[in-house]
Amino acid sequence: MIELADAATLGFDAARLTRIDAFLEAQYIETGRLKNAQLLVAREGQPVHHAHFGSLRDDDTPMREDALFRIASMTKPITSIAFMQLVEQCKVALDDPVARVIPEFANLGAYAGGGGALPFAPMQRGRPIRFVDLMTHMSGLTYGFQNRSSVDAAYRAAELDLSRGKFTADEYIAALAEIPLEFEPGTRWNYSVSTDVLGIAVERVSGMRLGDYFRNHIFEPLGMGDTAFRVAEGQADRLADAYGYRPGKAPRLVDRAAESRLLDDGKFDSGGGGLIGTAADYHRFCAMLLNKGELDGARIVAPKTLDLMAANHLPGGADLTQMSQSLFSEANNAGTGFGLGFAMVIDPAQTLMPASKGEFYWGGAYSTAFFVDPVEKITMVFMTQLYPSSTYPIRRQLKTLIYSALAESYA
């Protein structure tokens, strides 16, 4: 049971917070746009608002507070934190070439023609990929679902976006090494499998499978006992069904929880998108981020490490409108920079949303989302299960509703 602090004591208007629930019910649950939702808002690490909506399963099983959700790309910040733990130990450095740990990438170069029915032309050799390029999505890697280029098409043909049951980590790297990069590393921004590669680097440097590393070095210290790459024995009844958007129709069931592959071990722990977890667990991760890398006596990373991660690493202080070639990412582009595993607000006015400079965030393909506002000391975790996350403007709406309920600003 999540215990709530007094919202007014922490500077929120309790009546305005309840408007969030009414909005979600009226706009998303009653209309059938979303089958379920769960929201947790906190200030200074203390939950001030928590609500859940809809049904856990397509058979109208009631929603439950400890529901398990596919958090998809909200895995990426966790993988990024894990890598930075190894950086702190000087086992690896941000400016190291990735080939130091993943030698299969030693000959990777940029696209120079071909693809489709033709073989790829020899790759253009340029700057090697560095670990910082993986963390900032400036590596030249891509996703097949970008659906835009011959390189994307090669990812789809190799089924690189569907890696859990298809590849081991070594097989995944071998497949990637055969496909050119979209561009020379460090020159552009493209949402990609970079964090999956980063997770494999964590495995190789640490000598542990990624799920084991997460459990020992992040989840157990933070008390995130319900987060993993598969549903634990005895917890199958807690997993939510997952749905896909259909224009003009009710969402389509795409992963029935009772039959999900997530009930069994996968061949590959996807650092870019494979975790399942609860809102309460991810709240603890966010509380650690807000508290400069520590929670309840467990130090995960140092404050200066987190400062480095949450800074904008796009060249010249650019935003994503200047650097991105993605057709899809989990970030808005205007006023948004990108750091080491997170997007962040660098110009609140350009986002056209209530925000604080330095706020950082990300989301997942099933429309989950979180943000951490170090200025106002606010965190939010939102869970649902609708693919793709670009279907509705719910993240913007939630931010607007949360900030409109803030009665006392620390800014």
Side-chain angles (χ1 to χ4, degrees):
M1 182 71 178
I2 295 172
E3 296 185 9
L4 296 182
D6 181 66
T9 301
L10 288 166
F12 275 100
D13 183 320
R16 285 185 165 227
L17 283 172
T18 62
R19 299 193 309 195
I20 304 173
D21 299 357
F23 177 84
L24 289 172
E25 281 281 5
Q27 296 298 315
Y28 288 101
I29 303 302
E30 292 175 5
T31 61
R33 290 174 172 175
L34 296 180
K35 292 290 188 176
N36 52 53
Q38 195 167 142
L39 175 69
L40 202 163
V41 181
R43 199 173 202 193
E44 298 182 7
Q46 302 179 64
V48 296
H49 188 74
H50 178 239
H52 54 81
F53 312 87
S55 56
L56 185 76
R57 302 263 172 103
D58 207 44
D59 61 5
D60 294 326
T61 299
M63 191 60 180
R64 48 193 291 172
E65 187 174 287
D66 63 353
L68 294 167
F69 297 90
R70 300 154 191 79
I71 67 171
S73 288
M74 280 167 55
T75 306
K76 288 180 169 73
I78 296 174
T79 304
S80 301
I81 287 286
F83 184 81
M84 293 305 292
Q85 289 180 325
L86 300 174
V87 170
E88 288 188 333
Q89 299 167 53
C90 292
K91 293 182 177 180
V92 67
L94 286 169
D95 59 354
D96 280 346
V98 172
R100 180 193 149 198
V101 176
I102 302 177
E104 297 96 320
F105 279 12
N107 295 317
L108 264 184
Y111 176 77
L118 300 173
F120 284 114
M123 301 179 198
Q124 292 182 346
R125 296 294 302 280
R127 286 176 48 181
I129 305 175
R130 302 168 299 160
F131 285 108
V132 67
D133 299 321
L134 293 179
M135 298 191 80
T136 57
H137 290 286
M138 296 183 68
S139 63
L141 298 167
T142 189
Y143 269 123
F145 64 68
Q146 296 280 4
N147 205 16
R148 169 209 49 203
S149 70
S150 295
V151 176
D152 299 335
Y155 276 54
R156 291 194 299 279
E159 298 183 318
L160 286 164
D161 294 354
L162 304 169
S163 53
R164 186 181 190 274
K166 183 175 176 63
F167 299 100
T168 65
D170 289 348
E171 290 167 347
Y172 186 83
I173 291 297
L176 276 175
E178 296 298 318
I179 303 172
L181 302 173
E182 287 264 7
F183 49 80
E184 184 175 352
T187 60
R188 300 162 84 175
W189 190 93
N190 185 50
Y191 196 38
S192 72
V193 301
S194 288
T195 318
D196 285 302
V197 175
L198 191 73
I200 294 168
V202 170
E203 292 187 334
R204 293 191 179 184
V205 172
S206 70
M208 302 174 69
R209 183 151 172 174
L210 193 61
D212 295 332
Y213 184 94
F214 283 175
R215 184 179 63 253
N216 291 352
H217 296 282
I218 299 175
F219 297 157
E220 287 185 354
L222 291 178
M224 296 172 63
D226 286 329
T227 304
F229 284 105
R230 63 156 290 180
V231 177
E233 296 292 338
Q235 295 186 356
D237 61 333
R238 295 168 54 189
L239 181 64
D241 283 341
Y243 299 86
Y245 172 65
R246 294 190 298 177
K249 298 180 180 179
R252 178 174 62 91
L253 185 62
V254 295
D255 188 24
R256 188 180 300 277
E259 304 166 359
S260 177
R261 66 194 185 284
L262 299 173
L263 302 178
D264 300 311
D265 290 324
K267 295 175 68 174
F268 177 66
D269 290 348
S270 167
L275 287 173
I276 307 107
T278 63
D281 270 12
Y282 213 89
H283 159 68
R284 290 192 64 78
F285 182 70
C286 290
M288 176 274 294
L289 297 176
L290 181 67
N291 203 38
K292 294 285 191 176
E294 182 269 340
L295 185 66
D296 295 340
R299 170 65 62 188
I300 304 301
V301 292
K304 283 295 185 182
T305 299
L306 196 54
D307 287 345
L308 180 63
M309 296 180 73
N312 182 23
H313 286 256
L314 299 181
D319 73 2
L320 289 176
T321 61
Q322 298 160 283
M323 296 298 299
S324 175
Q325 71 170 42
S326 279
L327 293 183
F328 175 84
S329 84
E330 296 291 346
N332 294 314
N333 287 351
T336 299
F338 205 87
L340 306 180
F342 313 103
M344 78 286 302
V345 175
I346 57 176
D347 186 344
Q350 290 296 314
T351 71
L352 299 180
M353 288 185 283
S356 297
K357 187 175 182 179
E359 178 183 306
F360 55 99
Y361 65 95
W362 205 238
Y366 288 99
S367 302
T368 61
F370 81 95
F371 74 80
V372 176
D373 182 343
V375 176
E376 299 292 0
K377 308 296 183 186
I378 296 171
T379 59
M380 179 209 77
V381 178
F382 178 72
M383 298 291 196
T384 189
Q385 298 285 254
L386 180 73
Y387 181 92
S389 60
S390 56
T391 303
Y392 299 117
I394 192 164
R395 296 171 182 174
R396 171 176 59 79
Q397 293 164 339
L398 285 169
K399 281 196 66 183
T400 300
L401 288 161
I402 291 166
Y403 281 111
S404 71
L406 185 63
E408 298 176 20
S409 172
Y410 296 161

